[in-house]
Amino acid sequence: MTNLALGGMDAVINWARSYSLWPLFFGLSCCFVEEATAFTSRYDLSRFGAEVFRGSPRQADLLIVSGTIFKKIAPVVLRLYNQMPEPKWVISMGSCCNSGGMYDVYSVVQGLDQILPVDVYIPGCPPRPEAVLEGLVLLQEKIKLERPTRRILHLAGGSQGGRRDHLRLGVDKDRDPRGPGYQQVPVRGSSVSPPGFEDSRARNMWTPPAPTVEFTPVDRSLIGQLHQRFGDEVRVQAASNDHLTVHADSAQVPEVMRFLKEQSEPRHQRLEDLTAIDESARRAAQDRAGYSLVYQAMSFDNASRVRVKALVDARRPQAPSLTDLWPSANWYERETYDLFGIEFEGHPDLRRILLPHDWEGHPLRKGYEGRATRMPPYTQTDALNRQPLDGGALVDSRGGELMVLNVGPHHYSTHGLLRVVVALDGETIEDIALDIGFHHRGVEKMGERQSWHQFIPYTDRVDYLSGAGNNLAYLCAVEALAGIEVPPRAQFIRVMLTELYRISNHLVYYGTFVQDLGAMSPIFYQFREREMIMDIAELITGGRLHPSWFRLGGVAMDLPDGWREAVKRFVEVFEERLEEYEKLVRQNPIFRKRTEGVGVLGLNQAIEWGVSGPSLRACGLEWDLRKKMPYAGYDKFYFEVPTATGGDCFARYLVRVAEMRQSLEIVKQAMEGMPQGRYLSDDYRYHLPEKKDTLQDIESLIHHFINATRGPRIPQGEFYHAVETPRGEQGYYVVSDGGNAAYRLRIRAPGFANMQVLPGICRGLTLPDLVAVLGSWDFILPDIDR
Amino acid sequence: MDPAVFKPWEMELLGWLIYVGMVLGLLAAFLFMAWWLGEKRQARDKDMPYECGIVPTGSARFAFPAVFYLVAVFFLVFDIEGVFIFTWAVAAKDLGFLGWLRMSLFIFVLLLSLFYIWSKGGLTWGRRSPGNPAD
């Protein structure tokens, strides 16, 4: 009788619980976008009882952790789980979250279940929104098997709220990303792991040398000026693959850079990039000398770049700081210090930036272990002990007089894992500091061990809202280095997809920005058009967020039947829909009041800090790489570069909306003018040949075999290529020493440069203004932290 | 006690007392159920305020800026206005023109003080962006 009563109550309680799930999001990366999509009108999550995500653990009974868990963020995940009320359940979403996925790299935790107990795993990279719904159904089934009544009435027995234990390494959990049972088999790819490369047969392959560029008259004039000013202290590299490269003594670099910035003709106003290369594992013994520092400066006057390289000694890696010349050098130097251990004299605040403050070692040194599965496991004990730095250490609270408040890393308005620490006087921000690196996926280290083809999927994930556009940046650099010609049809396909993804990115920007300011409806509407774009991407590439569909020399396949109709349907409705959305927002007095004159960035300030993309154009400068330094066939398209004046949140919004219209024009032109012909270059030295060719002749089959297994050998050299992504200038600096993987792969992410200026423009604003500025900025964390 | 004192009220008072008893009983039942049924787990993290997953800095007991108090006090002052206006409004017809005049004077004085506070900057909250000295 008792059992019957308790069983009946169990059924009632379980029914109520399984249809009223209140999920707390812990969105770490790409998966979160699909998780968020599951909440939009097309997928309708409300059938599970939840209309919106819960922002705080106090309100939630289900924790959905989606994406890659980093060693820096793991303590935060665990704390949020511990702060939830009982009973509670956990869903681990995406292959990264389940096991580290494709990111078997030093900074990534190999599975959420090492830190806290997981009830349901959703596989995939990233799983589709439907998979999220399926995961919730599975959780409902699981909840219905629980026996909560006895626990509720404090009787013995019973069960509720998912698992209690977490997995233990070596006992019931394996760190091998391939799953359990592989302990005796070496981890894949060991033959291409640095610093050895001993087993690689790539060195036996022959390739033609990388093409070099002729110096332009401007270059020659600049060389003359440098010689006149510095004499023999600056050596010009005779042949360069991309642009003028000069070598200098590291002590001389600040002088040279000051000359290039302030006196030379043309003047180089922006520090484009600053990074280093560990030379100690070079193939040729005579090249193994310490670290090379690589400085790049950019001229707005005639759209040209110049590179300055300097060697520093490996025994005492030190160089003078550039921070008093360019404020933007601050973060670049901190990053170089963090990853290479090179110290910069005169830097105001030289400490780690991407890795946790208590991290040991410098991971981009060649001798550093890259794989997390070969390092000591990251366990729950680590997550409890290795806490992020106290907020009081990052901002000036005037001796505790001001309120120190952490906004993020887990916060709606930070659009990812960004931590903003503010010192508040009332609502006014007196001091502010950014803490980044919660999303550091070590992608530059991965680039040194994945072969040239294998690395393409990693570029997708660097900026997961821009999809195919990321492939383009990487491929442009490698193709230019190897001298690969891309046929016109492939160029048009690439441009069309890139622009579709630009629209999709700006739609998410639009929706989330307006949502940050308090309007809920636009984001739900905008995901409707975004899903149309995702459907087109799926039709053509088979993927949604991460198509990984561009290849060296072209694209993976030809366009499928029916692509034109799908694109046409989108092109026909989009302009009208955009008008509607504009009506919802643009004249709204609250929106205007909260954005106009808020977070003003001046043009000079923007250039000094290295800001690029729409945020720069919102300061009034018409600067777009697609126009100024055309690549990938953009010179065949007609479009305008929208700008706005004011540099405030409203101007940034205006520029992005206008850009969507321009991108739509480009998509139209690509659709209408799509040329016939091959979608892949017919020189198969570096590509994955067309399958039908491999069935016809043995040469193609051999190339397919070699390029798909050990990967192509890219000739020695280095190339920096930047493209205009939705967020700004994303540059890939690929260095090859003639191997089947990059010797060094540097990503100049637009977000990293754009973010540095934020504290400066947020001081003196109020807390709600900070939310508006963050929303208007359109940053994405994997792009900043890489 | 003289029963006549309660005569016209007798039943109603009893009813009221029963009502009060029921309310208190229900409240006690709710509080007891919430206390007894919930799972009780003590943990360091659980007792900590939610601050985006980071250990908070300092305590919540520190000197708040006066602007919060000013706004609170102004709110109270102008809130009382409502008490008088609503009571007057109920009997507005009976009080006639003279009542209206007195109420208008009352509102006028309050409005005057509101404008005074406004002009003194008492309603200014925080500061707006000061612009960029660099440009």
Side-chain angles (χ1 to χ4, degrees), chain A residues 750-781:
Chain A
F752 190 76
N754 288 359
M755 283 310 272
Q756 276 199 77
V757 73
L758 271 188
I761 63 177
C762 287
R763 269 192 198 95
L765 297 183
T766 60
L767 199 55
D769 288 339
L770 171 72
V771 174
V773 173
L774 290 177
S776 77
W777 205 249
D778 193 24
F779 54 84
I780 189 161
L781 270 300

Side-chain angles (χ1 to χ4, degrees), chain B residues 11-24:
Chain B
M11 289 312 287
E12 286 166 39
L13 185 68
L14 185 64
W16 183 76
L17 285 175
I18 292 171
Y19 174 71
V20 168
M22 278 166 66
V23 167
L24 289 177

Side-chain angles (χ1 to χ4, degrees), chain A residues 580-621:
Chain A
E580 270 174 46
Y581 301 149
E582 276 276 81
K583 270 186 216 146
L584 272 175
V585 172
R586 197 170 186 156
Q587 296 306 327
N588 184 321
I590 299 172
F591 179 77
R592 295 292 283 258
K593 204 82 189 158
R594 289 204 55 191
T595 54
E596 277 177 319
V598 174
V600 178
L601 174 69
L603 181 58
N604 285 340
Q605 206 183 1
I607 292 172
E608 286 287 304
W609 285 90
V611 175
S612 60
S615 299
L616 175 67
R617 292 192 280 278
C619 304
L621 184 69

